[in-house]
Amino acid sequence: MADATATDQLRTLETLALGELVGYADEPALRLWNTKFFGDKGLMKAALGKLKDIPKDQRAAFGQEANRVKLALETAYATALGTAKDAALQHSLATDKLDVTLPGRATRRGRLHPATTILRDIYAIFADLGFQVYRTREIETDDNNFELLNMPPHHPARDMWDTFFTTTPGTILRTHTSPGQIHVMREKCPDPIRVILPGMCYRNEAISTRSEIQFLQVEGLVIGEGITMADLKGTITAFARRMFGPERQVRIRSSYFPFTEPSIEVDIDWPADDPNRDRLTKGTGWLEILGAGMIHPTVLRNGGYDPDKVTGFAFGMGPQRMLMLKHAIDDIRLFWQNDRRFAEQF
Ligand code: PHE
């Protein structure tokens, strides 16, 4: 009987298809299975094509059976596909672990070196006082560093600065920022001057916790008609109060520098409630912050100015020393050692 054969074929096909489905565990294999049985040239289609050969009165029964088989296979396929997808997901979760709830990895941000920060603070304070920043060279002539600052060769004051010499005679690494005074004066003369000169200085010293062979200085230079010690004192006081707090008292002691006359050293009082006060001020309550003075007439003349017409003052401070005081840094060598653990604290 044709219909019995066709129906048998249908059932054989069902058994075959279900059997194969069990072996196909992943999605691509299952999709091949689907094509094999349900594709355009698939086995189901071929089996259903037999319908036309079946006698009319038996077609309905065959059609019913065909629908049952089709539905059974489709259901089995959908279930197998769902299981396979789920297994694939579980596998990927277990092997390619990506925890989207983990906090992100922070980008390391750079920061300014404390020396840069304090220099910028100093620039800002002096900018408000009308000072411009003037940069001059670190490699200097012996003339600018000493001679034109009123220190002839063999002047005993040269002993205050242990100098690095270059192989070019008369060319040295500047021992202080004061030679910058000569550059500014010769460029600006006869105009009045109000500048600060920041930069690196070099001294041939034994390196220790307190002295380094390179360090920063900030020089100040003011020249004009009628400039007096009162202007120097007012400028330094204004600076100290902006830098160290509005309550600061300024104390002036007489001192000696060849290029200023009179010369002074300036101290500020340290807050009485700071537990570090004794250590920082060596028990005196006063802290030295800079050297200064009225510009020596010889130096004015060397810069091109007439000391009978103009006067001026100069000062020199060490920003690293201020930082060491402010942050209780007890070793000056830390500044240029490039140890990130140091820089990251600021
Ligand atoms: N140049 C001096 C030093 O290095 C400091 C100073 C500058 C003093 C200007 C007076 C005037 O010690």
Short mmCIF file of all heavy atoms in Angstrom, two decimals, residues 161 176 178 181 203 217 219 257 259-260 291-293 314-316, ligand 1:
data_model
loop_
_atom_site.label_atom_id
_atom_site.label_comp_id
_atom_site.label_asym_id
_atom_site.label_seq_id
_atom_site.Cartn_x
_atom_site.Cartn_y
_atom_site.Cartn_z
N TRP A 161 81.25 80.79 47.72
CA TRP A 161 80.68 79.96 46.66
C TRP A 161 81.72 79.02 46.08
O TRP A 161 82.65 79.46 45.40
CB TRP A 161 80.10 80.86 45.54
CG TRP A 161 78.99 81.72 46.02
CD1 TRP A 161 77.68 81.37 46.13
CD2 TRP A 161 79.07 83.10 46.45
NE1 TRP A 161 76.94 82.43 46.61
CE2 TRP A 161 77.76 83.50 46.81
CE3 TRP A 161 80.11 84.03 46.56
CZ2 TRP A 161 77.46 84.78 47.28
CZ3 TRP A 161 79.82 85.30 47.03
CH2 TRP A 161 78.50 85.66 47.39
N HIS A 176 75.03 81.23 41.86
CA HIS A 176 73.81 81.87 42.38
C HIS A 176 73.10 82.55 41.21
O HIS A 176 73.66 82.61 40.10
CB HIS A 176 74.12 82.87 43.51
CG HIS A 176 75.20 83.87 43.19
ND1 HIS A 176 75.56 84.87 44.05
CD2 HIS A 176 76.01 84.02 42.09
CE1 HIS A 176 76.52 85.60 43.51
NE2 HIS A 176 76.81 85.10 42.34
N SER A 178 72.39 85.65 41.06
CA SER A 178 72.76 87.07 41.02
C SER A 178 73.40 87.54 39.70
O SER A 178 73.17 88.70 39.32
CB SER A 178 73.66 87.41 42.20
OG SER A 178 72.98 87.16 43.41
N GLN A 181 71.35 89.57 37.42
CA GLN A 181 71.18 91.03 37.62
C GLN A 181 71.89 91.81 36.52
O GLN A 181 71.35 92.79 35.99
CB GLN A 181 71.77 91.46 38.98
CG GLN A 181 71.04 90.93 40.20
CD GLN A 181 71.65 91.50 41.48
OE1 GLN A 181 72.33 92.54 41.46
NE2 GLN A 181 71.40 90.85 42.60
N ARG A 203 76.86 74.39 42.93
CA ARG A 203 78.01 74.63 43.79
C ARG A 203 78.73 73.31 44.04
O ARG A 203 78.09 72.26 44.21
CB ARG A 203 77.57 75.24 45.13
CG ARG A 203 77.16 76.69 44.96
CD ARG A 203 76.82 77.34 46.28
NE ARG A 203 76.03 78.57 46.02
CZ ARG A 203 75.49 79.32 46.96
NH1 ARG A 203 75.64 78.99 48.23
NH2 ARG A 203 74.80 80.39 46.64
N GLN A 217 67.24 78.79 42.94
CA GLN A 217 67.18 80.07 43.62
C GLN A 217 66.17 80.95 42.90
O GLN A 217 65.91 80.76 41.71
CB GLN A 217 68.55 80.79 43.58
CG GLN A 217 69.46 80.45 44.74
CD GLN A 217 70.62 81.43 44.88
OE1 GLN A 217 70.88 82.25 44.00
NE2 GLN A 217 71.33 81.32 45.99
N GLU A 219 65.92 85.00 42.42
CA GLU A 219 66.52 86.31 42.65
C GLU A 219 65.44 87.36 42.41
O GLU A 219 64.57 87.18 41.57
CB GLU A 219 67.64 86.50 41.62
CG GLU A 219 68.50 87.73 41.80
CD GLU A 219 69.72 87.40 42.65
OE1 GLU A 219 69.91 86.22 43.02
OE2 GLU A 219 70.49 88.34 42.94
N PHE A 257 77.01 90.85 51.84
CA PHE A 257 77.19 90.34 50.49
C PHE A 257 77.98 91.41 49.74
O PHE A 257 77.73 92.61 49.94
CB PHE A 257 75.85 90.10 49.78
CG PHE A 257 74.99 89.06 50.45
CD1 PHE A 257 73.91 89.45 51.23
CD2 PHE A 257 75.25 87.71 50.30
CE1 PHE A 257 73.11 88.51 51.86
CE2 PHE A 257 74.45 86.76 50.92
CZ PHE A 257 73.38 87.16 51.71
N PHE A 259 77.79 92.43 46.78
CA PHE A 259 77.03 93.15 45.75
C PHE A 259 75.88 93.97 46.31
O PHE A 259 75.11 94.57 45.55
CB PHE A 259 76.53 92.19 44.67
CG PHE A 259 76.20 90.81 45.20
CD1 PHE A 259 74.93 90.53 45.67
CD2 PHE A 259 77.17 89.82 45.23
CE1 PHE A 259 74.63 89.27 46.16
CE2 PHE A 259 76.88 88.55 45.72
CZ PHE A 259 75.61 88.27 46.20
N THR A 260 75.71 93.95 47.62
CA THR A 260 74.67 94.81 48.23
C THR A 260 75.27 95.58 49.40
O THR A 260 76.17 95.09 50.09
CB THR A 260 73.46 93.99 48.73
OG1 THR A 260 73.93 92.86 49.46
CG2 THR A 260 72.58 93.53 47.58
N GLY A 291 68.44 86.22 51.65
CA GLY A 291 69.46 87.26 51.76
C GLY A 291 69.07 88.39 50.83
O GLY A 291 68.46 88.16 49.79
N ALA A 292 69.40 89.62 51.20
CA ALA A 292 68.98 90.76 50.38
C ALA A 292 69.83 91.98 50.69
O ALA A 292 70.76 91.92 51.50
CB ALA A 292 67.51 91.07 50.63
N GLY A 293 69.51 93.08 50.03
CA GLY A 293 70.21 94.32 50.33
C GLY A 293 69.97 95.37 49.26
O GLY A 293 69.30 95.11 48.25
N ALA A 314 67.94 94.09 45.86
CA ALA A 314 67.95 92.73 45.32
C ALA A 314 67.78 91.75 46.47
O ALA A 314 68.09 92.08 47.62
CB ALA A 314 69.26 92.45 44.59
N PHE A 315 67.24 90.61 46.15
CA PHE A 315 67.16 89.55 47.17
C PHE A 315 67.35 88.20 46.49
O PHE A 315 67.21 88.08 45.26
CB PHE A 315 65.81 89.59 47.91
CG PHE A 315 64.60 89.49 47.02
CD1 PHE A 315 64.14 88.25 46.58
CD2 PHE A 315 63.90 90.65 46.64
CE1 PHE A 315 63.01 88.17 45.77
CE2 PHE A 315 62.78 90.55 45.83
CZ PHE A 315 62.33 89.32 45.39
N GLY A 316 67.71 87.21 47.28
CA GLY A 316 67.87 85.86 46.74
C GLY A 316 67.33 84.86 47.74
O GLY A 316 67.70 84.89 48.91
N1 PHE B 1 73.28 85.58 45.79
C1 PHE B 1 73.21 85.45 47.21
C2 PHE B 1 73.50 84.00 47.57
O1 PHE B 1 73.44 83.15 46.75
C3 PHE B 1 71.85 85.87 47.76
C4 PHE B 1 71.58 87.34 47.53
C5 PHE B 1 70.94 87.75 46.38
C6 PHE B 1 71.92 88.27 48.48
C7 PHE B 1 70.69 89.11 46.17
C8 PHE B 1 71.69 89.61 48.30
C9 PHE B 1 71.05 90.01 47.14
O2 PHE B 1 73.79 83.69 48.70
#
